[in-house]
Amino acid sequence: MAEQREVQGIKRYDSPAGGWGALNATARAVREQMDAMVAPITLLRTNQPDGFDCPGCAWPDKEHRSTFQFCENGAKAVTWEATKKRVTPEFFAAHTVTSLLEWNDHQLEDEGRLTQPMTYNAATDKYEPIGWDAAFARIGHVLRSLSHADQAEFYTSGRASNEAAFIYQLFAREFGTNNFPDCSNMCHEATSVGLPQSIGIGKGTVSLDDFDHCELLIAMGHNPGTNHPRMMGTLHELSRRGVPIIVFNPLRERALERFADPQNAMEMVTFSSTDIASSYYQVKVGGDAAALKGIQKAILALDAAAGADGSVIAHDFVAMHTNGYAALVDDLDATSWADIEASCGLSRDALTTVARAYVASNATIVTYGMGLTQHSKGTANVQQIANLLLLRGNFGKAGAGICPLRGHSNVQGNRTVGITEKPPAGMLERIEQTFGFVPPKGHGHDAVRAIQAIADGRSKVLVCLGGNFSVALPDSGTCFAAMRKLDLAVHINTKLNRNHLLVGKESIILPCLGRTELDEQTNGLQAVTVEDSMSMVHASRGKLAPASALLRSEPAIVAGIARATLPDSKLPWQEWIDDYDRIRDSIEAVFPEFERFNERIRKPGGFRLPLPPTERIWPTPTGRAQFIPFAGVNEDPLTTSGDVLTLTTLRSHDQYNTTIYGLDDRYRGVFGRRDVIFMNQDDMAEHRLEHGDVVDIETALAQHGPLRLLGFTVIAYKIARGSIGAYYPEANVLIPIDFFDPESGTPSYKSVPVRIAKPQVAAG
Ligand SMILES: Nc1nc2c(c(=O)[nH]1)N[C@H]1C(S)=C(S)[C@@H](COP(=O)(O)OP(=O)(O)OC[C@H]3O[C@@H](n4cnc5c(=O)[nH]c(N)nc54)[C@H](O)[C@@H]3O)O[C@H]1N2
Ligand SMILES: Nc1nc2c(c(=O)[nH]1)N[C@H]1C(S)=C(S)[C@@H](COP(=O)(O)OP(=O)(O)OC[C@H]3O[C@@H](n4cnc5c(=O)[nH]c(N)nc54)[C@H](O)[C@@H]3O)O[C@H]1N2
Ligand SMILES: [Mo]
């Protein structure tokens, strides 16, 4: 590599992930956000049997008993919520909304916790205090004056507890709509839609114990060192057990290469580390379907070579448990190696090596994240993983299965308890039987369709149970403008964010308790429940004094809105809020898998929801698992030609979705800035760009008006050819609102065709 010029804030990072750097960063998060006396006790209570669930990620803990104090990004999530900083009415009195729009996302949230309900006054362009009852009354009035319930949208971000989410969906359904856009629509919807067709359920099938028995792990499109930090302990263990870990990721992610476990005294004192990936394949962005097809094609060849008594493909399992094998084989035969290689950027030899490792393993787990789901064919991508696993019967045996890495800590639970715009008939029937009202049956809006309905005036009210809706969505230009058309926006949040500032006619902020805080109601202190990535449901109890005496819990806020909106409601709103055990009894009445909910939740560690494929029971229409071929090799057919590059959007190490904790991305060597484009050196040479050049990026989709990102700095990075990376949410301006997977509605955040223009010279 030629000598590179110095670029501000860009340094090589040669150390392993984790280690002392992680401990230092943990200490800094505590120092900057929390009271030094409170912090250690708070962190020690995270994920303890009688403590609160870590809001950082959805990776499970053994018996829910983690040695969490060393999880850097978990500590950031907890300290960010448990911060001593406050956003007060005086703050709002001192700043107009227009002036706050000049602040960046980091500055807005770093002001601290919201402390009391606020309502926007257009005359002063400021948020002003409002009482809880007045706020509820106003929201109820506007909702009731809509001409149809479908003119309202009820967004959920996956932090809400099962209890809050359950009564929220009941309220919206009693009100009369299935408009439930949620963060899952931008995240693992491809899993929720794709896996039921393949194996009959839309969730992962492995448990933490399976990692103790697996013989091979294939990790695709996720960055655990940053986003699933507690998974690093598992990967570390696997590697030390000698289990091969095969990674598919366009970027070299340090935590997938080398990790020093802060809980391993020897590694800490000797400054050593453990290699994580045994093989690292830098697949092209959008090349996973082709790679997965290549591996399957190589398996067919190995099976043919092994002859009649070979044990390459699990033919007995295939015959007994699956449909569609012949069609899969036909499709793989018809797909050429040349097309596969061109599409994924990996050679036939490389993919055959993976196939050999796969057939040598008696128990394989495939883990995957947003690198697979956020594509125009995200659903089909996920199904290719299921195909691969089915070929060797890697379901329903110890050490094997599929493992989607969920995002928000309770996004999976929200869906389980009814947050879905496509409600299953059985659930609606049980709601009707239990509560005596007739819920609407038609499909409602998902996240993209909700903002489209708001943009063209069909929807007039948006209620957000958490999150930062318009900032998380693609096409910021379109979405920000849409927010301004709303008659009313209601934001139930813990922190100030940009979504609050994109005011339309009326906007109300309702501040809520976070996971870490004590939730006291009439019958005493309350616990809530959450479901992790592996379908374990467990209790979470906050321990800290609330950030403000005026905060209310999410369930209490939902109930307050419901009562003000539906004065004749037959649902027991007050009884539910007095004692969340009663909400859990109601959850159990609607969802039989929660039988003896209150009893089982009191057991440390909680319980696991049933997962039929783990017993080789397939709740598909045919009662068998289904092989689903992938037509062609291109996930994103518009993205390959001429000077067009494929942009993927990423999270930095100092970020939780739209929450920006700080401006560093330590493991990728970026410090104090986020305005960078990661690019392969050979692509840079071809585009006559140098490390540090400042460029504009433009979306290369002809049918869309110009979508541009201006003045970003190109930096040389180990990323696959033809692929470039930039941070989310800054790069969301480049993603057209209608560029999504038609099957699941998931925006193609990870595959945007773009061109680079070079407007300026070096930044130095
Ligand atoms: N600290 C922290 N924790 C989080 C979050 C956070 O923002 N911060 N977010 C939470 C949420 S909601 C979610 S959904 C998860 C997200 O967790 P991840 O799925 O890990 O999230 P991303 O950063 O979007 O990127 C995923 C990885 O996919 C790779 N990738 C990009 N494009 C492709 C592709 O085409 N193919 C393949 N194979 N790989 C690709 C990227 O290089 C990156 O390493 O994390 C959750 N946990
Ligand atoms: N380009 C691009 N865009 C993406 C993605 C991507 O990879 N690339 N990823 C997508 C994904 S996977 C997701 S999940 C979405 C995330 O979309 P969202 O879930 O909508 O966004 P967050 O940034 O997680 O929400 C942050 C806000 O949540 C609030 N909050 C935090 N804790 C609580 C709580 O306990 N209760 C309540 N009520 N509020 C709370 C705070 O006020 C904070 O400002 O973004 C999506 N957008
Ligand atoms: Mo997510």
Side-chain angles (χ1 to χ4, degrees):
M1 199 191 281
E3 243 336 277
Q4 278 175 347
R5 69 172 113 148
E6 287 278 307
V7 178
Q8 194 197 333
I10 307 302
K11 298 190 196 96
R12 275 180 66 143
Y13 180 85
D14 290 322
S15 308
W20 291 102
L23 287 191
N24 286 337
T26 308
R28 195 171 63 221
V30 168
R31 202 166 55 237
E32 286 173 5
Q33 297 295 335
M34 287 186 74
D35 198 317
M37 300 302 288
V38 187
I41 318 164
T42 307
L43 293 181
L44 286 168
R45 275 173 180 154
T46 313
N47 286 359
Q48 292 303 304
D50 65 340
F52 52 85
D53 187 69
C54 181
C57 77
W59 187 258
D61 276 309
K62 279 212 173 125
E63 285 137 35
H64 214 57
R65 202 182 270 279
S66 82
T67 33
F68 165 89
Q69 55 271 38
F70 298 130
C71 173
E72 175 191 345
N73 275 2
K76 283 186 205 152
V78 170
T79 56
W80 195 252
E81 176 177 301
T83 179
K84 55 181 187 252
K85 303 181 189 178
R86 299 287 179 271
V87 179
T88 57
E90 292 73 41
F91 170 86
F92 284 111
H95 301 281
T96 62
V97 164
T98 307
S99 69
L100 289 173
L101 277 166
E102 300 295 314
W103 295 29
N104 67 32
D105 295 319
H106 167 69
Q107 292 165 322
L108 290 174
E109 283 211 27
D110 196 32
E111 275 303 308
R113 290 287 299 278
L114 296 160
T115 50
Q116 70 179 72
M118 304 294 293
T119 183
Y120 179 66
N121 181 345
T124 57
D125 187 30
K126 286 177 180 171
Y127 271 102
E128 295 170 356
I130 181 174
W132 280 103
D133 288 343
F136 291 148
R138 185 63 204 155
I139 296 164
H141 173 79
V142 177
L143 280 170
R144 271 189 319 233
S145 56
L146 293 174
S147 48
H148 193 284
D150 288 336
Q151 291 176 327
E153 305 286 348
F154 294 89
Y155 178 65
T156 317
S157 160
R159 283 229 183 153
S161 61
N162 289 333
E163 290 73 12
F166 177 74
I167 63 171
Y168 185 60
Q169 59 85 30
L170 279 180
F171 156 57
R173 291 197 161 105
E174 191 182 25
F175 177 63
T177 184
N178 282 318
N179 284 346
F180 288 110
D182 71 347
C183 73
S184 186
N185 299 144
M186 302 181 250
C187 183
H188 262 294
E189 199 62 47
T191 299
S192 302
V193 171
L195 284 189
Q197 297 169 25
S198 295
I199 59 169
I201 59 164
K203 302 182 179 186
T205 63
V206 299
S207 68
L208 212 46
D209 289 340
D210 285 314
F211 289 85
D212 295 338
H213 302 285
C214 88
E215 296 179 16
L216 168 69
L217 183 88
I218 303 180
M220 307 188 77
H222 63 91
N223 186 19
T226 291
N227 297 319
H228 307 96
R230 278 179 284 124
M231 184 191 192
M232 289 314 300
T234 307
L235 292 175
H236 192 261
E237 256 170 56
L238 282 184
S239 169
R240 301 200 135 214
R241 193 155 66 74
V243 175
I245 299 174
I246 302 179
V247 169
F248 286 84
N249 196 312
L251 275 80
R252 282 267 169 186
E253 303 284 26
R254 179 48 48 90
L256 289 168
E257 297 180 313
R258 278 183 286 138
F259 180 66
D261 188 348
Q263 293 168 59
N264 183 308
M266 192 51 96
E267 283 185 355
M268 294 301 279
V269 294
T270 59
F271 293 91
S272 59
S273 63
T274 300
D275 287 345
I276 298 296
S278 49
S279 332
Y280 204 119
Y281 294 102
Q282 284 186 265
V283 62
K284 277 189 188 178
V285 164
D288 300 275
L292 284 159
K293 284 186 78 168
I295 300 167
Q296 293 173 70
K297 191 173 167 75
I299 294 170
L300 295 189
L302 294 173
D303 190 59
D309 52 10
S311 60
V312 172
I313 289 173
H315 289 288
D316 291 348
F317 173 90
V318 168
M320 203 186 322
H321 290 286
T322 70
N323 281 326
Y325 178 70
L328 182 85
V329 172
D330 287 349
D331 175 72
L332 291 171
D333 285 346
T335 308
S336 77
W337 275 111
D339 284 350
I340 289 172
E341 290 183 330
S343 199
C344 65
L346 302 171
S347 68
R348 175 179 181 167
D349 277 357
L351 296 171
T352 302
T353 305
V354 178
R356 285 216 172 84
Y358 178 69
V359 304
S361 157
N362 292 309
T364 300
I365 294 175
V366 182
T367 55
Y368 67 95
M370 298 297 101
L372 271 281
T373 60
Q374 294 175 333
H375 292 277
S376 302
K377 291 197 182 154
T379 301
N381 267 353
V382 169
Q383 291 169 338
Q384 298 320 295
I385 299 177
N387 288 349
L388 175 66
L389 289 168
L390 285 170
L391 283 177
R392 282 184 53 78
N394 275 309
F395 288 100
K397 66 178 175 190
I402 192 160
C403 179
L405 290 156
R406 291 281 166 174
H408 271 299
S409 48
N410 196 37
V411 58
Q412 187 162 315
N414 287 183
R415 187 54 59 85
T416 303
V417 300
I419 301 290
T420 169
E421 75 283 0
K422 294 176 286 225
M427 176 182 85
L428 295 179
E429 278 160 29
R430 285 189 299 274
I431 288 178
E432 187 173 340
Q433 284 159 14
T434 312
F435 300 108
F437 72 89
V438 183
K441 299 203 170 43
H443 288 185
H445 296 149
D446 63 11
V448 167
R449 284 168 188 102
I451 201 76
Q452 286 174 325
I454 294 170
D456 61 25
R458 279 177 288 131
S459 288
K460 299 175 185 303
V461 176
L462 169 67
V463 180
C464 295
L465 181 56
N468 193 0
F469 184 51
S470 57
V471 181
L473 279 164
D475 207 339
S476 317
T478 301
C479 295
F480 290 8
M483 289 296 292
R484 298 193 172 282
K485 292 190 164 177
L486 283 166
D487 284 353
L488 172 67
V490 179
H491 309 279
I492 305 167
N493 281 106
T494 52
K495 291 254 181 138
L496 180 64
N497 65 39
R498 191 166 309 280
N499 205 43
H500 306 152
L501 305 176
L502 301 162
V503 287
K505 271 196 204 132
E506 227 178 319
S507 180
I508 296 177
I509 300 175
L510 302 176
C512 64
L513 294 173
R515 285 263 176 90
T516 54
E517 289 162 320
L518 294 161
D519 181 355
E520 179 144 31
Q521 304 293 346
T522 307
N523 283 9
L525 285 174
Q526 303 297 313
V528 293
T529 62
V530 294
E531 175 183 340
D532 67 29
S533 258
M534 296 180 192
S535 301
M536 290 294 301
V537 180
H538 44 76
S540 173
R541 290 177 191 81
K543 296 288 177 192
L544 297 179
S548 145
L550 291 172
L551 299 184
R552 293 204 182 169
S553 75
E554 289 179 347
I557 295 172
V558 171
I561 297 175
R563 284 201 293 192
T565 309
L566 306 168
D568 301 326
S569 170
K570 292 186 187 62
L571 306 188
W573 297 107
Q574 190 57 50
E575 285 82 348
W576 275 338
I577 300 315
D578 289 345
D579 192 334
Y580 298 174
D581 274 357
R582 296 174 188 152
I583 305 183
R584 286 184 281 275
D585 286 339
S586 295
I587 293 177
E588 181 177 340
V590 175
F591 300 101
E593 63 266 40
F594 284 92
E595 60 168 337
R596 297 185 291 115
F597 193 1
N598 276 308
E599 181 192 323
R600 288 196 289 164
I601 210 62
R602 283 177 163 74
K603 221 183 87 209
F607 61 91
R608 193 160 194 227
L609 292 171
L611 296 167
T614 62
E615 293 156 56
R616 298 197 166 172
I617 295 167
W618 319 96
T620 58
T622 61
R624 283 163 165 255
Q626 183 74 36
F627 284 105
I628 303 175
F630 184 101
V633 285
N634 292 325
E635 289 171 34
D636 309 278
L638 299 163
T639 60
T640 44
S641 72
D643 59 346
V644 173
L645 294 157
T646 310
L647 169 76
T648 189
T649 56
L650 309 160
R651 291 160 167 79
S652 79
H653 193 60
D654 277 1
Q655 139 175 27
Y656 197 97
N657 299 336
T658 70
T659 294
I660 313 298
Y661 301 129
L663 302 182
D664 295 351
D665 192 5
R666 191 168 77 242
Y667 299 150
R668 298 196 187 111
V670 180
F671 298 90
R673 60 189 302 182
R674 294 174 52 87
D675 56 344
V676 295
I677 303 289
F678 299 98
M679 194 166 181
N680 181 292
Q681 290 244 270
D682 295 336
D683 284 329
M684 285 170 55
E686 204 175 297
H687 288 254
R688 297 210 189 79
L689 288 169
E690 283 182 43
H691 185 67
D693 279 353
V694 178
V695 299
D696 292 347
I697 311 277
E698 185 168 305
T699 304
L701 288 167
Q703 66 272 42
H704 295 280
L707 296 173
R708 293 201 187 97
L709 184 67
L710 304 179
F712 269 48
T713 297
V714 170
I715 58 173
Y717 201 79
K718 291 182 195 160
I719 181 171
R721 283 293 312 261
S723 308
I724 60 171
Y727 293 123
Y728 139 59
E730 287 82 347
N732 288 29
V733 291
L734 291 169
I735 310 166
I737 191 68
D738 56 0
F739 190 53
F740 56 78
D741 172 19
E743 279 198 78
S744 68
T746 315
S748 311
Y749 293 119
K750 296 267 190 287
S751 259
V752 191
V754 294
R755 283 198 183 82
I756 292 193
K758 187 185 175 187
Q760 298 161 35
V761 269

